[in-house]
Amino acid sequence: MDVLDQLGAVKEGKMSRRAFTRSLMAAGVGMATVPLSKMAHASDGDQATYFTWGGYDIPELFGEYQTKNGALPNFAIFGASEEALTKMRGGFVVDVSHPCNQAVPRWAATGLFQSVDVSRLAHGADIIPELTQLEGNQDGDNLWMVPFDWGSTSITYRTDLVELDGEESWDMLWDERYSGRLGSLGAGADAWWVGAIKAGISFDNIDSDEAFEKIAEIMRAQRPHIRVYTDDTTSLEQALASGELVAAMTWNSSAVTLAAEGVPVKFANPKEGALTWVCGLMIHKDAPNVDRAYDVIDSLLSVESGKFMVNDYGYGHSNKNTFDHFDEETLVGLGLSKNPTDILGSGHFQKPQTQEWESKMNALFEQIKAGF
Amino acid sequence: MADATANDAPPGEDRTQTKRSWKARFNQSDTLKGFSLLSPTLFVLIIGIIIPFGILITISLWTAVGFGFDTSLTLNNYQTAAEQPLYGALLSRSLMVSGWATVATVVLSYPMAYYVAFHVHRNKMMWIVLMTLPFWTSYLLRVFAWKVVLGYEGVINSALMGLGLIEAPLEFLLYSTDAVIITLAHAWAAFAILPMYVSLEKIDKSLLEAATDLGDGPVARFLRITLPLSMPGIISACLLIFIPTTGDYITPALLGGPDGLMIGNLIQLQFGPVNNWPMGATLAIILMLTIAAIALVFLVLTKLVKDRLT
């Protein structure tokens, strides 16, 4: 019945006000639930949702998934993995998420994830075992994180603008000569650990009060020289390309991307050692598409994805067969090796820390970034 | 309401009888009518404001422990907020930034509102729509656009270098407090133009004619008639810009650099990486109270202006 007819009916006394209100309410509820019903409808043929860093949301990594499921997975993007965890703790449900190894025990402790059954993965047998066995990834029979990519955090610098003072060193990011033209990743998960390397603190003791003080002092000394702290790697890359920044703390991919565009940059191999990391994939305990979650992981573990990761991002890959497609020289040029333990062992590898440590570190680092 | 209870059930009736008559009474009462009129508003108010605000206050009285909370109520967070210089400094910086952004927006928008109100005679609606056109796109995109405009190799720097006015790009444009103020001033302009346009439009043009007849020049006419009469619009424009910009965090996060952080960023950080929701809630409440206090000042100002005008 049309609303005007109804109004007329009410006026003439043919329809009770209550009946009118009821139909109005029905219309209202209908309107309000349209998006819900649409969502419910859309979800039955839906793709898995992959919650990841910007740059991993690209078709090149999902060839296998696309062939199998006819479309790309849905992507949700985070800027820093702690932000992702917060969002999921707030009720955001995804199928697969992409944290790094040092965060895994804390992530698993939230009870938001299910352990992964490697036998369900087509490429499960090809995973480099050393990466799976890293501290934190496994607990008892549970495998929480399937390793996917690994690499290092170091300094990408403009070879034409930076005059090296001896060897490559983390000192470059504290160099007064380039004050205001240095950049840094914004998350403590990288920057604070680099501070520890610069302060000469072993990662075994990074949780002591003394370590906090020393690192804070180092980070405060750096802050006036930093033009921008950001986890938006595109901003850092653009700033390096334009010469706005002469050096910045980045992951491997920034250097590889910039070099591919002809910008004269080099990814430093600091004498104190780089910061090394392994990231991977975790499945949400309420994942609506568990089968497709495994498809996402399989697709990322495939050799095709691995070739792209090594070639275009300069990251290591967890599928051992990937490296058969590259010669030793190429790998060394990218700062990689067929044996990830060589690389991970030569740098400083992050160790899982408690949630209290993480909160304290982040709070302190945010204060320092704000100038206190 | 007293009338509705007139045919009350006599005492001693059985329970069902009493219940029915109570129901009958309630159904006829003005109270019900009042509530049924109010209820949608009340419902929205409760669901949208009162409950969330209650939750926020409760969380601000808790303490963060790892991933969880210690739910015993304490004012420790407020004490920390008062004691640590960081919070006060960022709050005052936020007030300063949005204060300047408000001034800049109002000063830049006033001529536009004035022009449309007094000098556009046909298609006024089209002009208004044109002024709101930039706001049809996302706020985030507008902020990014400013990043491009102000950037090291951005529009302004390339133009100035192309003209030979500067040799090296100006570095203070991006990643600074100035960048935040400039962006906010543009991003919120529509909220200044519209209320000011409305109050300018309402001005009785015969007053201006009378002033001309009495020998006032354009400047005197503007200062003695147009400006005072448009004051209510200016004040509401100030409110509309000041309140949302104080808590803004996207603009400072993208354009502010290390020195441009505002209290909104700190709140976001507490809820995000720092994982201290109680502290975030505390800061949010402090921000709200500060803004409420300032809004109160504006409201008093509006009243004073209105009293003077009538």
Side-chain angles (χ1 to χ4, degrees):
Chain A
M1 204 189 288
D2 184 50
V3 174
L4 283 177
D5 289 349
Q6 290 202 358
L7 279 174
V10 174
K11 241 183 189 164
E12 290 163 29
K14 283 185 208 155
M15 189 187 191
S16 74
R17 185 167 296 158
R18 180 166 298 176
F20 175 68
T21 323
R22 202 184 300 135
S23 61
L24 209 61
M25 185 169 146
V29 171
M31 287 290 280
T33 50
V34 163
L36 292 177
S37 55
K38 210 172 171 186
M39 247 159 56
H41 179 74
S43 67
D44 52 32
D46 212 356
Q47 302 299 330
T49 303
Y50 178 37
F51 197 21
T52 186
W53 313 76
Y56 291 92
D57 50 339
I58 46 170
E60 284 85 343
L61 297 174
F62 293 95
E64 225 172 70
Y65 184 96
Q66 231 175 339
T67 317
K68 192 168 173 192
N69 297 299
L72 287 175
N74 299 319
F75 297 108
I77 304 299
F78 54 75
S81 61
E82 285 307 294
E83 172 197 323
L85 184 61
T86 306
K87 210 168 164 184
M88 287 186 280
R89 284 177 59 216
F92 185 58
V93 177
V94 299
D95 291 287
V96 181
S97 188
H98 188 179
C100 297
N101 159 268
Q102 43 86 13
V104 177
R106 285 185 304 110
W107 280 42
T110 60
L112 281 173
F113 302 92
Q114 51 179 287
S115 64
V116 183
D117 178 2
V118 183
S119 65
R120 284 179 73 175
L121 291 169
H123 303 299
D126 303 330
I127 305 173
I128 299 171
E130 288 93 336
L131 294 177
T132 314
Q133 286 151 10
L134 286 174
E135 180 189 347
N137 286 0
Q138 274 176 314
D139 117 52
D141 292 335
N142 292 322
L143 173 66
W144 295 113
M145 187 181 94
V146 181
F148 160 48
D149 52 335
W150 51 274
S152 47
T153 304
S154 180
I155 309 155
T156 299
Y157 67 98
R158 286 280 297 260
T159 46
D160 55 338
L161 298 176
V162 173
E163 202 183 310
L164 267 186
D165 211 6
E167 277 179 88
E168 287 174 340
S169 150
W170 282 110
D171 294 341
M172 293 162 79
L173 288 182
W174 273 260
D175 193 332
E176 280 178 23
R177 291 178 298 167
Y178 304 110
S179 188
R181 297 184 74 183
L182 303 169
S184 174
L185 290 167
D190 288 289
W192 191 260
W193 295 80
V194 165
I197 299 174
K198 162 93 173 136
I201 287 165
S202 138
F203 285 3
D204 291 324
N205 300 320
I206 199 169
D207 57 349
S208 66
D209 288 340
E210 193 197 347
F212 265 103
E213 257 171 54
K214 272 193 179 163
I215 300 170
E217 199 182 312
I218 289 281
M219 299 316 282
R220 284 201 182 97
Q222 183 190 33
R223 196 248 179 209
H225 307 315
I226 296 290
R227 181 156 171 77
V228 63
Y229 291 98
T230 176
D231 289 317
D232 170 13
T233 48
T234 315
S235 288
L236 287 178
E237 286 158 20
Q238 283 171 352
L240 282 165
S242 69
E244 181 175 10
L245 295 180
V246 298
M249 181 193 302
T250 69
W251 301 306
N252 321 34
S253 67
S254 295
V256 175
T257 312
L258 286 169
E261 282 168 20
V263 183
V265 290
K266 190 164 178 288
F267 193 60
N269 185 12
K271 62 177 185 216
E272 303 89 346
L275 178 70
T276 51
W277 46 262
V278 174
C279 301
L281 309 155
M282 286 174 84
I283 303 182
H284 197 285
K285 82 168 169 10
D286 299 322
N289 285 302
V290 176
D291 288 339
R292 285 185 172 166
Y294 278 95
D295 290 345
V296 166
I297 298 178
D298 253 332
S299 190
L300 290 169
L301 294 184
S302 69
V303 172
E304 281 311 305
S305 298
K307 274 162 44 185
F308 177 83
M309 292 296 290
V310 174
N311 225 346
D312 290 64
Y313 285 175
Y315 290 151
H317 190 241
S318 62
N319 189 326
K320 56 178 187 253
N321 300 332
T322 295
F323 296 97
D324 298 340
H325 298 265
F326 295 92
D327 54 51
E328 198 64 41
E329 198 185 336
T330 315
L331 290 177
V332 170
L334 289 166
L336 296 173
S337 160
K338 284 185 191 191
N339 187 359
T341 42
D342 289 352
I343 301 299
L344 299 177
S346 71
H348 299 263
F349 190 66
Q350 291 180 319
K351 290 200 162 48
Q353 299 292 327
T354 62
Q355 183 54 38
E356 279 74 18
W357 182 89
E358 201 77 23
S359 293
K360 185 178 170 190
M361 179 272 287
N362 278 314
L364 188 53
F365 184 47
E366 294 306 338
Q367 279 193 24
I368 293 170
K369 282 197 284 180
F372 287 83
Chain B
M1 263 183 281
D3 294 353
T5 60
N7 42 1
D8 213 343
E13 286 269 3
D14 66 291
R15 268 186 81 193
T16 46
Q17 190 61 41
T18 324
K19 206 174 172 187
R20 197 182 304 146
S21 70
W22 176 85
K23 243 183 170 174
R25 256 189 299 148
F26 189 70
N27 278 339
Q28 286 167 8
S29 72
D30 289 341
T31 318
L32 179 72
K33 282 182 201 156
F35 271 120
S36 63
L37 270 177
L38 254 181
S39 56
T41 331
L42 199 65
F43 182 73
V44 170
L45 201 68
I46 290 174
I47 295 284
I49 295 176
I50 296 174
I51 293 180
F53 197 61
I55 294 173
L56 201 65
I57 291 178
T58 317
I59 294 183
S60 78
L61 298 174
W62 292 352
T63 312
V65 183
F67 274 131
F69 302 113
D70 172 0
T71 54
S72 47
L73 303 181
T74 157
L75 285 171
N76 281 348
N77 292 322
Y78 289 89
Q79 202 183 341
T80 317
E83 280 170 359
Q84 283 210 13
L86 168 73
Y87 305 115
L90 253 62
L91 183 62
S92 53
R93 186 193 287 162
S94 304
L95 296 177
M96 190 269 289
V97 167
S98 46
W100 278 113
T102 309
V103 171
T105 318
V106 169
V107 169
L108 293 174
S109 307
Y110 195 87
M112 283 192 249
Y114 183 88
Y115 182 77
V116 179
F118 287 99
H119 296 285
V120 175
H121 302 292
R122 288 166 50 203
N123 292 335
K124 275 197 184 192
M125 210 50 226
M126 188 195 76
W127 278 81
I128 303 277
V129 171
L130 280 178
M131 283 192 295
T132 58
L133 207 60
F135 304 88
W136 294 11
T137 169
S138 128
Y139 181 67
L140 197 58
L141 279 180
R142 273 177 278 144
V143 175
F144 269 116
W146 275 103
K147 202 172 171 178
V148 175
V149 174
L150 299 171
Y152 192 76
E153 285 187 333
V155 178
I156 294 180
N157 273 331
S158 340
L160 290 177
M161 283 173 75
L163 291 170
L165 293 174
I166 50 171
E167 288 193 350
L170 302 172
E171 292 193 0
F172 67 87
L173 286 176
L174 191 59
Y175 301 129
S176 64
T177 315
D178 302 329
V180 179
I181 295 173
I182 293 172
T183 308
L184 289 176
H186 169 258
W188 294 89
F191 294 86
I193 296 174
L194 294 177
M196 292 195 295
Y197 163 74
V198 170
S199 68
L200 283 166
E201 183 68 27
K202 275 200 300 202
I203 295 174
D204 188 350
K205 308 286 186 293
S206 56
L207 290 173
L208 296 168
E209 281 168 26
T212 319
D213 291 346
L214 292 170
D216 265 355
V219 176
R221 268 203 315 263
F222 175 75
L223 290 177
R224 290 170 61 178
I225 300 174
T226 317
L227 188 63
L229 285 175
S230 61
M231 251 354 234
I234 295 177
I235 293 174
S236 51
C238 289
L239 258 183
L240 281 174
I241 297 160
F242 189 81
I243 293 176
T245 50
T246 319
D248 190 89
Y249 80 94
I250 294 175
T251 313
L254 290 174
L255 303 170
D259 291 321
L261 286 181
M262 283 165 61
I263 193 83
N265 301 94
L266 208 56
I267 295 174
Q268 188 259 339
L269 288 167
Q270 299 292 335
F271 281 101
V274 177
N275 228 309
N276 191 344
W277 294 17
M279 196 66 214
T282 307
L283 294 175
I285 286 171
I286 292 175
L287 177 62
M288 259 190 270
L289 292 177
T290 314
I291 292 177
I294 292 167
L296 211 64
V297 173
F298 274 104
L299 288 180
V300 171
L301 267 179
T302 321
K303 197 174 174 315
L304 285 178
V305 169
K306 272 194 181 146
D307 288 350
R308 268 202 70 194
L309 291 180
T310 47

